[in-house]
Amino acid sequence: MLKSVHKLDGATVRATDGDIGSVKEVFFDDQAWVVRYLVVDTGNWLSGRRVLMSPYAVGRAAADGDFIDVSLTREQVRNSPDVDTHQPVSRRMEREMSRYYAYPDYWDGSAMWGMTPLPMLPLPDAGTREREEAPVPAEDVHLRSSASVTGYDIQASDESIGHVKDFIFDDETWAIRYVVVDTRNWWPGGKKVLIAHRWIERIDWDEKKVHTALTREQVKNSPEYDEAAVLDRGYEQRLHQAYERPGYWKE
């Protein structure tokens, strides 16, 4: 099921023995376009500390978005590696955290989550020796904040078409399928539209601009995105037909 990243904001994260805090944003992989972590503000419980929650602990996002249950205890979260969420998160820092929680390295394999298409923990195998790990460069930074990218200008092939408003992700794979674009910057009384991440040619992180080969006319004629409506396959088909692009679900 497709869901809005921004609707996760404020959701209470519940451990197996009590509340941890609330979701403030997500970190997504700017190469694979997958949500890798929820950024959770622990409030007064851990003196305002922010921690990262992996989909390995969440499994599937809650249907209503009000609560997210994780398969962790409060003590596990309390003793987890300290990560400064206001600074870039390196691959080395991720490995430290994954080793603490006994999660596999999602980048170790050809699938979206390493060896699997979903964030599923492997079955324990006492007879398997621990594999040798390749060194990870500290500067290998690839995670982006959803809060930081929100507001980026969207540049079509013939001028700006609006700004990033939200992200739409699959609650099973956690793959980001679409960027929500608010077109009212250039089209008074305009609408919100979706652009698949595959239609994005590049992102200029310094200038905070997202570039696509789509034209203003294509965007203007595309189906409107209604935040209150269920985003189903029928809408996705109409969207891809409007842009004359094949659907990712056909692969």
Side-chain angles (χ1 to χ4, degrees):
M1 184 175 181
L2 296 178
K3 295 179 180 176
S4 158
V5 163
H6 284 186
K7 287 186 178 180
L8 295 178
D9 292 351
T12 299
V13 179
R14 303 186 296 195
T16 57
D17 55 354
D19 292 350
I20 295 174
S22 60
V23 177
K24 292 304 177 184
E25 58 184 314
V26 307
F27 282 166
F28 68 91
D29 186 324
D30 67 6
Q31 297 173 330
W33 285 84
V34 180
V35 174
R36 297 301 187 189
Y37 301 101
L38 303 179
V39 180
V40 181
D41 190 330
T42 61
N44 295 329
W45 175 52
L46 292 180
S47 301
R49 178 183 167 194
R50 291 191 174 190
V51 297
L52 301 183
M53 292 284 106
S54 168
Y56 282 121
V58 179
R60 191 165 185 171
D64 55 12
D66 293 332
F67 298 97
I68 296 177
D69 294 313
V70 296
S71 56
L72 301 171
T73 65
R74 283 162 62 96
E75 192 65 16
Q76 281 180 294
V77 175
R78 183 194 303 274
N79 297 326
S80 65
D82 201 4
V83 177
D84 186 353
T85 59
H86 298 290
Q87 298 295 325
V89 178
S90 69
R91 187 59 58 78
R92 181 171 293 175
M93 295 169 66
E94 288 189 90
R95 173 167 283 178
E96 180 182 356
M97 190 164 54
S98 66
R99 291 300 166 265
Y100 172 79
Y101 285 118
Y103 296 154
D105 293 333
Y106 64 77
W107 58 87
D108 187 14
S110 58
M112 193 174 295
W113 289 94
M115 302 303 294
T116 63
L118 304 176
M120 300 172 57
L121 294 177
L123 296 175
D125 185 355
T128 302
R129 294 184 302 175
E130 186 175 353
R131 59 180 170 77
E132 182 179 352
E133 294 180 343
V136 177
E139 68 276 7
D140 188 1
V141 178
H142 64 111
L143 296 179
R144 303 289 175 176
S145 158
S146 60
S148 296
V149 179
T150 297
Y152 274 29
D153 184 57
I154 307 288
Q155 289 284 324
S157 61
D158 52 357
E159 297 184 84
S160 172
I161 56 173
H163 64 273
V164 175
K165 185 68 175 179
D166 196 355
F167 303 87
I168 303 299
F169 74 103
D170 182 314
D171 70 347
E172 287 188 284
T173 64
W174 292 80
I176 293 178
R177 298 300 184 190
Y178 304 100
V179 173
V180 180
V181 182
D182 190 334
T183 67
R184 287 173 292 183
N185 291 39
W186 65 275
W187 183 14
K191 58 187 179 181
K192 293 185 179 68
V193 297
L194 299 186
I195 292 180
H197 80 81
R198 297 182 176 196
W199 307 340
I200 293 173
E201 293 189 322
R202 64 184 176 87
I203 299 179
D204 189 323
W205 302 107
D206 293 329
E207 294 189 7
K208 299 183 178 181
K209 292 183 179 182
V210 179
H211 295 266
T212 175
L214 301 175
T215 66
R216 277 189 165 193
E217 193 65 20
Q218 285 179 299
V219 173
K220 195 169 185 177
N221 293 330
S222 67
E224 182 173 6
Y225 167 62
D226 183 356
E227 296 171 307
V230 176
L231 209 168
D232 57 16
R233 184 52 51 79
Y235 171 87
E236 288 190 277
Q237 290 174 333
R238 294 194 300 276
L239 180 70
H240 283 72
Q241 288 170 359
Y243 288 115
E244 298 182 341
R245 303 293 180 97
Y248 63 86
W249 58 87
K250 295 181 179 180
E251 296 183 350

